[in-house]
């Protein structure tokens, strides 16, 4: 039972354009959502998060949007840079309880010059 | 640098053996989480400790156990190792699991079972 899904295994975007990564979840108890970026041979690096009381959170070039009714979130990166090439994981947790993270399968983003 | 330290980076051993993976959380973080990343399963939650006490368990095998010590570092013990235990094992830490705070990950231990 995959509670967090990233349906696109890979995405290729031109440098300077917008990258949009998508994530769907099924568990309505999730109320905290995060995006992590992962380079080979490194651990996931926290990028940005959003609480379920918000529908948008911005941090520099990164914006996360949350649509609770659709159980969908997205990460926008503008403008995309070559250093953004990595695997991006969406994760979700429920604040009640242990707050363990449930991860999607990841999307490999490639930024082309 | 996330501030979470995991040792060793790589571990190669044989079936039936036992290994210990070590994690030092970020300064000030009381909660430690262990995750397993295998090729076909993605990142899966194993177990969580908060201030020395076990807080939650995921799909952790009975052959695996963990503990968190008074200095807050944690160890994950894997015994009677099987080929399928080959994976990346990540440790993460956070300040307080009751708050909406991100978990920060170490660079993992790559375990190879021959």
């Amino acid at each position: 039972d995959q509670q967090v899904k990233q349906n696109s295994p890979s995405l290729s975007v031109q440098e300077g354009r917008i990258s949009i990564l998508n994530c769907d979840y099924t568990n309505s108890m999730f109320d905290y959502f995060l995006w992590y970026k992962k380079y080979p041979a490194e651990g996931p690096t926290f990028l940005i998060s959003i609480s379920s009381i918000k529908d948008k959170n911005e941090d520099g070039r990164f914006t996360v949007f949350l649509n609770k009714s659709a159980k969908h979130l997205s990460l926008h990166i503008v403008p995309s840079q070559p250093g953004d090439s990595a695997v991006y994981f969406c994760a979700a947790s429920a604040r009640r309880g242990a707050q363990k993270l449930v991860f999607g399968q990841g999307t490999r983003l490639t930024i082309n010059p | 640098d996330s501030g979470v330290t995991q040792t060793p980076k790589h571990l190669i051993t044989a079936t039936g053996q036992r290994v210990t993976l070590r994690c030092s959380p970020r300064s000030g973080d009381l909660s430690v989480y262990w995750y397993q990343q295998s090729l076909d399963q993605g990142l899966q939650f194993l177990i969580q400790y908060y201030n020395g006490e076990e807080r939650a368990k995921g799909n952790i095998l009975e052959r695996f156990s963990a503990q968190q010590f008074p200095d807050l570092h944690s160890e994950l013990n894997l015994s009677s190792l099987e080929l399928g235990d080959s994976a990346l094992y990540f440790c993460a830490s956070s300040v307080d699991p009751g708050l909406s705070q991100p978990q920060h990950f170490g660079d993992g231990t790559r375990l190879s079972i021959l």
Side-chain angles (χ1 to χ4, degrees):
Chain A
D1 174 26
Q2 204 173 342
Q3 298 184 66
V4 178
K5 291 182 187 177
Q6 294 175 256
N7 291 318
S8 299
S10 63
L11 177 67
S12 188
V13 174
Q14 200 156 5
E15 182 179 357
R17 306 295 290 268
I18 183 171
S19 295
I20 300 176
L21 296 99
N22 293 303
C23 177
D24 297 297
Y25 63 97
T26 57
N27 189 340
S28 56
M29 296 300 292
F30 289 148
D31 56 8
Y32 184 53
F33 305 88
L34 309 90
W35 285 94
Y36 286 85
K37 172 178 171 180
K38 188 178 182 306
Y39 293 119
E42 293 185 11
T45 300
F46 169 70
L47 267 180
I48 192 169
S49 63
I50 188 166
S51 164
S52 60
I53 61 173
K54 293 185 168 184
D55 53 21
K56 178 182 171 181
N57 189 26
E58 272 183 272
D59 184 0
R61 296 186 298 115
F62 302 93
T63 303
V64 56
F65 294 91
L66 176 62
N67 182 333
K68 287 185 289 293
S69 60
K71 293 192 176 67
H72 177 84
L73 66 156
S74 61
L75 174 68
H76 293 208
I77 306 174
V78 182
S80 300
Q81 299 174 353
D84 296 330
S85 295
V87 178
Y88 288 78
F89 290 95
C90 165
S93 70
R95 218 159 23 125
R96 284 191 191 157
Q99 209 187 34
K100 66 179 186 184
L101 292 177
V102 180
F103 282 87
Q105 293 295 95
T107 296
R108 181 177 299 280
L109 175 65
T110 303
I111 307 301
N112 302 307
Chain B
D1 181 10
S2 68
V4 179
T5 304
Q6 288 189 249
T7 57
K9 286 194 181 304
H10 303 278
L11 206 45
I12 302 174
T13 187
T15 55
Q17 297 298 305
R18 174 190 167 94
V19 297
T20 297
L21 314 183
R22 184 189 167 102
C23 169
S24 293
R26 289 192 324 161
S27 176
D29 286 357
L30 299 178
S31 200
V32 169
Y33 306 76
W34 287 96
Y35 293 84
Q36 179 192 55
Q37 185 182 27
S38 51
L39 275 173
D40 56 345
Q41 291 281 346
L43 275 154
Q44 301 282 322
F45 169 73
L46 293 177
I47 196 163
Q48 181 214 0
Y49 279 81
Y50 174 70
N51 206 17
E53 302 284 329
E54 182 185 301
R55 178 66 76 94
K57 266 184 173 179
N59 295 327
I60 187 168
L61 299 171
E62 283 191 14
R63 300 183 286 109
F64 296 2
S65 65
Q67 52 184 330
Q68 186 179 27
F69 295 86
D71 67 353
L72 300 178
H73 91 270
S74 177
E75 292 180 356
L76 179 67
N77 300 296
L78 316 177
S79 61
S80 303
L81 287 167
E82 301 176 358
L83 292 175
D85 297 327
S86 294
L88 267 168
Y89 291 85
F90 288 104
C91 168
S93 71
S94 69
V95 174
D96 182 334
L99 303 175
S100 293
Q101 293 290 329
Q103 295 176 23
H104 296 272
F105 284 75
D107 284 339
T109 293
R110 181 175 293 280
L111 176 63
S112 299
I113 313 300
L114 303 179

